[in-house]
């Protein structure tokens, strides 16, 4: 008898959980399509589109591995409502790549490209956040294949679909364009604290016409 003590976390008990999210034990695997096979000799990371000098930049896997490594502690919030809190992501901050391959002054958004043509668009300000990181490691261990090895993006302030696994490049854009899930009913911006899950919730200015 008495009041049921739910295992559901209340907002007071879990201040780190955005509205509508619940904690998940372990680390589920969520993505569309098959897990790509990593072929180091074919892998390259490209920055292209509206770069400051008009040239693209390209790193092979060995070159990319030599870029400066740092870590960021960040949560993962899947739009299907599970969250994982407090992971330490290791890799190359987006800021580092922006310094190495500066965007033209009129760049407003980026498209992050992954294997099989998966993509996600970000506002430049979300991409240039000092906590946005191209992760090769989680909690000191290399990513596993299903979690995005050799490289995935982590954008701490946004739902996890904004961070492609098996990422292969970044396109600098001078106007916004929807990525894979953003074309298929998910919110163009995707801030979990504002519960921006679906495109029907978008307000004028949140994204290009559907
Ligand atoms: N390439 C690719 N990356 C992706 C996805 C995808 O479908 N393809 N799904 C996203 C979604 S919806 C989530 S919640 C996270 C899940 O990451 P995880 O499987 O490592 O938990 O990956 C994101 N990255
Ligand atoms: Mo997700």
């Amino acid at each position: 008898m008495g009041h049921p003590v739910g295992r559901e976390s209340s907002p007071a008990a879990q201040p780190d959980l955005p509205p509508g999210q619940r904690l998940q034990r372990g680390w589920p695997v969520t993505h569309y399509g098959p897990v790509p096979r990593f072929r180091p000799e074919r892998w390259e990371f490209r920055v292209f589109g509206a770069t400051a000098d008009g040239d693209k930049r390209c790193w092979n896997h060995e070159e990319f591995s030599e870029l400066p490594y740092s870590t960021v502690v960040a949560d993962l919030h899947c739009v299907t409502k599970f969250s994982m809190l407090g992971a330490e992501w290791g890799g190359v901050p987006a800021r580092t790549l922006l310094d190495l391959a500066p965007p033209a002054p009129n760049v407003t958004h980026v498209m992050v490209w992954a294997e099989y043509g998966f993509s996600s668009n970000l506002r430049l300000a979300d991409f240039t956040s000092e906590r946005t990181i191209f992760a090769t490691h989680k909690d000191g261990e290399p990513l596993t294949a299903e979690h995005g090895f050799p490289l995935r993006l982590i954008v701490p302030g946004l739902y996890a679909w904004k961070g492609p696994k098996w990422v292969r490049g970044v396109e600098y854009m001078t106007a916004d364009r929807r990525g894979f899930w953003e074309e298929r009913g998910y919110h163009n911006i995707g801030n979990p604290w504002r519960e921006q899950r679906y495109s029907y919730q978008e307000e004028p200015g949140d994204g290009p016409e559907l």
Side-chain angles (χ1 to χ4, degrees), residues 144-160:
T144 58
E146 63 272 25
H147 286 301
F149 182 83
L151 192 68
R152 75 178 297 166
L153 184 65
I154 297 292
V155 190
L158 301 180
Y159 282 117

Side-chain angles (χ1 to χ4, degrees), residues 30 77-80 82 160-161:
T30 316
H77 305 297
C78 176
V79 70
T80 63
F82 76 80
W161 87 77

Side-chain angles (χ1 to χ4, degrees), residues 72-92:
V72 167
V73 173
D75 307 332
L76 203 84
H77 305 297
C78 176
V79 70
T80 63
K81 301 198 168 177
F82 76 80
S83 290
M84 177 175 75
L85 300 182
E88 185 201 77
W89 306 97
V92 181

